Amino acid sequence: MEATTSKTLLMFWLLVTCIAAVSLGSAVETQGFGGCLMSFASVKGCVQAIHEVVSHEKFDALQPKCCKAIIKLGDNCWPIVFPNQPCLPVLLKTVCKVLGMVVKVENVAAAP
């Protein structure tokens, strides 16, 4: 029960933070934030997988499509989406590499 409550509070906090950032930003900042956030949100289960990696160290939660979104996310987006976690991009990219997802992503990206 405690894990569910903790997960719910984290998701609520993320939602409130996103809404606050969108409503307080300028049109250009909002567009950038929305585009950065959609990189993860558009991949089914990616947000939850990132949460599992960060909170519970379940590294195998990341799937190839999520790793593709992680690797393709621009460096300027990381501080927007995860403002207080400067090591998160390195962690996630490393997990994808260790799990062998990078090779699969590069092959998918290179396909015509």
Side-chain angles (χ1 to χ4, degrees), residues 24-65:
L24 295 176
S26 69
V28 174
E29 291 170 341
T30 302
Q31 232 177 13
F33 176 78
C36 292
L37 186 60
M38 284 308 296
S39 295
F40 295 119
S42 64
V43 178
K44 185 178 178 181
C46 192
V47 173
Q48 182 64 27
I50 292 171
H51 171 72
E52 292 292 324
V53 169
V54 173
S55 300
H56 307 293
E57 297 179 4
K58 292 185 178 179
F59 302 116
D60 59 338
L62 292 174
Q63 298 298 315
K65 287 183 182 181

